[in-house]
Amino acid sequence: MFSRRRKLDTEEELYDVALRALMRRGHSVHEMKQKLARRTNDELLVRVVMARLKENGLLDDERYAQQFTRNRTQSRKQGTFRIQRELRARGVSDRLIDSALQESTAQTDQAAMVRQHIERKLKSYRGRKSAEKIEDKKIASIYGSLLRAGFPSDVIRKELHRITHEPVPEVEDRSHSL
């Protein structure tokens, strides 16, 4: 049904593929190298294009990690653990990830982000009856969604307790063991 893409033979063709990919979204060095390697059998050609992209300032893992972290914390409201996991999967070094996360953590309040998420969920659960007790299943659902979003379990429990005024049970936290 789908035809295979033809393998590229020239530096210009491969460079154009890289530029089009970068126009759609940012890429880490590792991601771009994989993308280009799929389009040609010539490893030397991939290295030449990668060097050219880096030389022209189009590929920079440090900048990529900072932009990715900023986007995920501000727009998507994700926590540090999830961002860290996704950047690792994209081949960014731990040193650059830690640096970007430290910068982001200094500018954002994770507890406030968790509170906003909880309040938004509680509004949909409570509806008009704000005095009714929230079921344990719903609290567990909120807790799980916040863990998947990458927030620390202690912050989640503290904010859930503060907002719901109910004791939040300890839950085994398996999401942070990579």
Side-chain angles (χ1 to χ4, degrees), residues 36-177:
L36 296 179
R38 285 192 301 265
R39 296 300 306 267
T40 185
N41 294 326
D42 187 353
E43 190 179 321
L44 178 61
L45 193 57
V46 171
R47 285 191 295 210
V48 168
V49 170
M50 291 294 293
R52 187 172 164 193
L53 290 167
K54 288 177 187 176
E55 185 179 304
N56 293 337
L58 298 172
L59 271 185
D60 179 10
D61 272 353
E62 183 174 5
R63 187 180 65 226
Y64 174 76
Q66 289 171 345
Q67 289 172 344
F68 186 91
T69 303
R70 190 173 27 255
N71 177 311
R72 296 299 168 109
T73 53
Q74 293 173 356
S75 300
R76 294 191 183 188
K77 307 292 186 210
Q78 292 178 341
T80 55
F81 295 119
R82 179 161 180 179
I83 295 167
Q84 182 180 44
R85 185 174 56 241
E86 289 185 21
L87 281 171
R88 272 196 190 125
R90 293 167 188 256
V92 178
S93 75
D94 286 344
R95 180 182 59 81
L96 296 176
I97 293 170
D98 292 342
S99 171
L101 287 173
Q102 283 176 358
E103 183 180 314
S104 173
T105 304
Q107 297 172 1
T108 59
D109 180 8
Q110 283 203 352
M113 290 170 60
V114 168
R115 263 192 312 277
Q116 288 174 344
H117 183 88
I118 293 169
E119 288 168 355
R120 191 173 61 247
K121 287 283 192 185
L122 288 178
K123 281 181 187 174
S124 70
Y125 290 154
R126 285 182 177 154
R128 294 185 182 150
K129 301 175 188 173
S130 61
E132 88 179 51
K133 183 182 180 298
I134 297 153
E135 297 175 23
D136 289 343
K137 265 176 39 176
K138 290 183 179 175
I139 291 175
S141 171
I142 294 171
Y143 182 84
S145 71
L146 285 164
L147 274 180
R148 285 187 298 280
F151 293 103
S153 57
D154 57 332
V155 173
I156 298 169
R157 280 193 303 275
K158 185 175 110 187
E159 294 304 323
L160 271 171
H161 176 70
R162 239 178 73 193
I163 289 177
T164 62
H165 305 294
E166 302 165 11
V168 178
E170 286 284 325
V171 177
E172 184 180 330
D173 184 5
R174 289 177 265 137
S175 69
H176 305 301
S177 57

